[in-house]
């Protein structure tokens, strides 16, 4: 506490100003509410690997190797050098989520979510007023998720969630889409893969969609606007390919069978 060591304390409460609570990897407060920020714009910082669960307004649980600590009146969550997993589960934050320097994951709530990636591993999502940063991997909920690359990139992957009709919109650059599995593939701006994405939408530059031998899209491929032409290539697919305009694809100037 302000540099003072304490022990035998099961809960702490902040004052009426800005409070920052730091939890070491082996730290835990086992009170009914281990950390209560009280008033002010407060934050928790995790030093090691941590699992964060947001279950109420600025409230939830952080779990370290020592066990869970419940928190309330905490607007901003900050990870450390370890790998952090943040999940919205019926809760929201008035502040932000900062993943820290590890390989971090953010899972949205089971509502219709709008994701905008507008920086390196950074952006906005439904339920987090101040947005997120330092998050490599994004995971949708059980409802419909819309992911838009808007000047940003991801060093990890996007998983739309196992249910819901999800959409991924690429940035306004020349994009190459490789569809390698069922609603799965890669695209410019995402180092890893995307999965559980039914609808693929290009930006306002040229988009090249390449369907691999095992690739398929359950929704719509929309080329978007273009500079020269948006293309769709099925040449790696063996057997008969049936692709209908406005049902399977739209906004495509050139199709290769």
């Amino acid at each position: 506490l302000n540099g003072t060591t304490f022990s035998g304390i099961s809960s702490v409460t902040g004052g009426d100003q800005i409070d920052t609570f730091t939890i070491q990897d082996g730290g835990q407060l086992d009170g009914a509410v281990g950390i209560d920020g009280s008033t002010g714009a407060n934050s928790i910082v995790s030093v090691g690997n941590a699992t964060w669960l947001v279950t109420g307004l600025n409230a939830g649980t952080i779990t370290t190797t020592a066990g869970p600590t419940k928190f309330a009146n905490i607007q901003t969550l900050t990870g450390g050098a370890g790998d952090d997993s943040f999940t919205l589960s019926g809760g929201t934050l008035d502040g932000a989520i900062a993943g820290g320097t590890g390989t971090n994951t953010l899972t949205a709530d089971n509502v219709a979510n709008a994701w905008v990636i507008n920086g390196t591993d950074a952006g906005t999502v439904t339920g987090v007023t101040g947005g997120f940063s330092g998050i490599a991997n994004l995971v949708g909920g059980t409802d419909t998720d819309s992911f838009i690359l808007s000047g940003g990139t991801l060093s990890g992957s996007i998983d739309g969630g196992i249910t819901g009709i999800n959409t991924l919109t690429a940035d306004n650059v020349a994009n190459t889409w490789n569809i390698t599995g069922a609603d799965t593939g890669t695209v410019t701006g995402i180092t890893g893969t995307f999965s559980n994405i039914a609808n693929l939408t290009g930006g306002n530059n040229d988009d090249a969609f390449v369907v691999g031998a095992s690739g398929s899209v359950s929704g719509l491929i929309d080329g978007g606007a273009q500079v020269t032409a948006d293309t769709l290539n099925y040449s790696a697919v063996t057997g008969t390919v049936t692709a209908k305009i406005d049902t399977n694809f739209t906004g495509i100037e050139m199709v290769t069978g």
Side-chain angles (χ1 to χ4, degrees):
L1 177 62
N2 290 334
T4 301
T5 300
F6 63 88
S7 62
I9 302 295
S10 61
S11 61
V12 293
T13 302
D16 60 1
Q17 300 296 311
I18 298 173
D19 290 274
T20 300
F21 303 86
T22 300
I23 297 184
Q24 301 291 330
D25 193 32
Q28 180 194 23
L29 294 172
D30 59 4
V33 178
I35 298 174
D36 185 345
S38 189
T39 57
N42 309 304
S43 63
I44 293 178
V45 178
S46 168
V47 173
N49 302 316
T51 299
W52 308 73
L53 191 65
V54 182
T55 55
L57 175 59
N58 301 322
T61 303
I62 174 175
T63 301
T64 66
T65 56
T69 297
K70 292 185 178 181
F71 63 84
N73 297 309
I74 300 293
Q75 289 75 27
T76 295
L77 311 181
T78 302
D83 297 337
D84 289 86
S85 172
F86 303 85
T87 299
L88 300 177
S89 180
T92 58
L93 292 172
D94 288 335
I97 292 176
T101 57
T103 302
N104 308 303
T105 301
L106 173 58
T107 302
D109 210 344
N110 294 325
V111 298
N113 294 299
W115 303 75
V116 177
I117 298 98
N118 54 26
T120 302
D121 291 341
T124 61
V125 66
T126 303
V128 183
T129 301
F132 62 87
S133 62
I135 301 292
N137 303 302
L138 310 181
V139 181
T142 58
D143 208 318
T144 300
D145 286 82
S146 170
F147 302 86
I148 298 174
L149 295 173
S150 180
T153 58
L154 284 178
S155 62
S157 300
I158 290 178
D159 181 348
I162 58 175
T163 58
I165 301 174
N166 307 306
T167 300
L168 174 58
T169 302
D171 211 343
N172 294 323
V173 298
N175 295 297
T176 299
W177 303 73
N178 289 294
I179 302 160
T180 56
D183 292 341
T184 298
T186 63
V187 66
T188 304
I190 301 174
T191 300
T193 62
F194 63 82
S195 59
N196 295 309
I197 301 291
N199 302 306
L200 309 180
T201 303
N204 62 15
N205 207 315
D206 294 340
D207 288 81
F209 298 86
V210 180
V211 182
S214 301
S216 63
V217 174
S218 62
L220 181 69
I221 294 176
D222 184 348
Q226 72 285 328
V227 174
T228 303
D230 296 313
T231 61
L232 176 57
N233 191 327
Y234 287 102
S235 62
V237 180
T238 59
T240 301
V241 175
T242 301
K244 298 180 179 180
I245 298 174
D246 295 331
T247 299
N248 304 109
F249 68 88
T250 187
I252 300 293
E253 286 70 46
M254 181 182 297
V255 178
T256 302

